[in-house]
Amino acid sequence: MNKTAEYRFTIIVPLYNEKDNLQRLGQSLASYAARSTAGPTGVLFVDDGSTDSGGGLLAAMCADNPCFHYLRFTHNCGLSAALKAGFDHCESPLVGYIDADLQTDPEDFDLLLPYLVTDTPVTKEWLAGLGNGGLCLNCPVCHFPNCGFGKGA
């Protein structure tokens, strides 16, 4: 179990070289998480091997905000890999993602969340499919479960 299990909703934020945007991003997401209509909300940043020295800022930002957490790739693997690692890592019942450039406002999640009905057959089947699957703890890229890279990808 990881910290995302403590939340009802986790927002995944893949990022690469966003050092100049981290403060604004952190403020916006902290504000949203504090009043999200989903209930307890956490944020999982996935640093896709940034080279702009934003890693230290990200670590400090996460240390200062208990609902912020992060994963860090050792090198750039691309947006799809960052999203996959984030979704594989999440253990909250509700998961969404947002781009780090804030082209989409975090408040937009509140426009969608009321339409999520978890007792429909399709949603139940989809949620049941989010099991842990196989582990790939020997991954040379991120060392996190289910990232897929340790399976020869």
Side-chain angles (χ1 to χ4, degrees), residues 3 16 19 21 27 40 43 45 49 52 56 66 82 98 112-114 117 123 131 137 146:
K3 293 285 188 184
Y16 179 73
K19 177 182 79 169
N21 194 38
Q27 289 171 344
V43 178
F45 297 94
D52 67 352
I98 192 168
L112 300 172
L113 287 166
V117 179
T123 307
L137 294 174
N146 302 321

Side-chain angles (χ1 to χ4, degrees), residues 9 18 26 40 45 48 52-53 57 77 95 101-102 110 116 119 123 131 146 151:
F9 180 41
E18 293 282 349
F45 297 94
D48 188 18
D52 67 352
S53 73
L57 293 172
C77 296
V95 180
D101 60 10
L102 291 175
D110 288 342
L116 180 62
D119 61 352
T123 307
N146 302 321
K151 299 175 184 168

Side-chain angles (χ1 to χ4, degrees), residues 5-93:
E6 298 174 8
Y7 304 101
R8 182 160 186 263
F9 180 41
T10 299
I11 301 170
I12 299 169
V13 185
L15 55 92
Y16 179 73
N17 289 344
E18 293 282 349
K19 177 182 79 169
D20 295 337
N21 194 38
L22 280 177
Q23 182 177 6
R24 181 174 74 103
L25 176 64
Q27 289 171 344
S28 179
L29 290 168
S31 175
Y32 174 75
R35 64 180 187 285
S36 168
T37 61
T41 298
V43 178
L44 177 64
F45 297 94
V46 182
D47 181 349
D48 188 18
S50 293
T51 58
D52 67 352
S53 73
L57 293 172
L58 179 61
M61 189 169 71
C62 291
D64 290 343
N65 190 321
C67 75
F68 285 1
H69 311 281
Y70 70 97
L71 307 176
R72 182 177 297 146
F73 287 177
T74 57
H75 60 277
N76 183 256
C77 296
L79 176 61
S80 295
L83 284 171
K84 181 172 180 357
F87 277 104
D88 286 348
H89 189 76
C90 280
E91 296 181 1
S92 60

